[in-house]
Amino acid sequence: MDDALDSAMRTFWQRGYEGSSLTDLTGAMGITKTSMYAAFGNKEQLFRKALDRYLRGPSAYEMDALEKPTARAVAEAFLRGVLDTTTRPDSPQGCLTVQGALAASDGARPAHELLVRVRSEAGDRLAERFRRAMDEGDLPADADAAGLARYIMTVVFGLAVQAANGVAREDLDRVVETTLRAWPA
């Protein structure tokens, strides 16, 4: 079932929550609707499992970045991680957590709210890591940890959208370089 879940993840990543019909999902997964319901539950439950797979797989760079020794290295790992994930030629372009359910009908509100929470929690973890960097003297005492985290997350999400729009990796890399040049000393 791992392959089927990978296929569901890729379908949601490419088409979003609402854009992924049960026919799309079961076709990509190579199973019947009855088998999908038995193995994964309904579409929302499948989405949650596929999102978890995405967070532990293609988007695992986020948790790895938090372990870097300096705040600048954390920021750089976030930025480069999103480039690696969103511009791979063998994967959908863009980011499942950004594009998965930005605009949502009432029926897709749970998926939308889940993705808002996932994005918010990632920013909170980054802000906490930057607060730690301030305590350790790695960032200036007057730095704005929450503001820096929001800045990096805004650039990360922007990079993901630009990747989904087909902007070349080299062009996005220049955005990363510009962002890192602005990093507080």
Side-chain angles (χ1 to χ4, degrees):
M1 283 294 162
D2 283 348
D3 289 341
L5 190 53
D6 282 340
S7 295
M9 175 191 72
R10 292 175 65 82
T11 301
F12 284 125
W13 187 355
Q14 184 174 16
R15 297 174 182 231
Y17 181 80
E18 285 194 299
S20 299
S21 70
L22 288 179
T23 301
D24 294 332
L25 291 163
T26 56
M29 296 166 75
I31 60 176
T32 66
K33 287 181 185 177
T34 304
S35 297
M36 188 207 77
Y37 286 119
F40 300 105
N42 63 24
K43 180 180 174 181
E44 182 184 335
Q45 292 166 322
L46 175 61
F47 180 73
R48 288 176 180 277
K49 290 173 182 162
L51 177 60
D52 184 62
R53 187 117 175 144
Y54 178 82
L55 295 172
R56 294 178 192 279
S59 192
Y61 68 86
E62 290 181 18
M63 296 307 285
D64 294 340
L66 295 173
E67 301 301 318
K68 298 295 181 190
T70 67
R72 186 181 192 287
V74 169
E76 184 170 5
F78 256 80
L79 295 164
R80 299 218 183 274
V82 77
L83 283 185
D84 291 343
T85 299
T86 62
T87 62
R88 290 174 48 170
D90 63 338
S91 294
Q93 303 298 287
C95 174
L96 173 59
T97 67
V98 174
Q99 293 138 241
L102 281 180
S105 67
D106 288 343
R109 291 303 299 169
H112 171 79
E113 290 168 4
L114 173 62
L115 292 176
V116 167
R117 189 178 79 240
V118 165
R119 292 188 304 262
S120 179
E121 288 172 353
D124 291 345
R125 285 189 298 272
L126 188 57
E128 180 56 37
R129 176 60 181 86
F130 289 161
R131 280 191 281 284
R132 190 178 98 208
M134 290 171 64
D135 292 343
E136 295 171 350
D138 179 44
L139 281 174
D142 63 346
D144 178 2
L148 282 172
R150 181 147 332 264
Y151 171 61
I152 294 300
M153 296 307 291
T154 299
V155 174
V156 162
F157 297 146
L159 289 168
V161 169
Q162 292 296 310
N165 289 343
V167 174
R169 164 77 187 240
E170 304 78 46
D171 294 332
L172 297 177
D173 194 53
R174 288 199 313 269
V175 173
V176 169
E177 291 300 323
T178 300
T179 303
L180 293 172
R181 279 195 298 274
W183 191 253

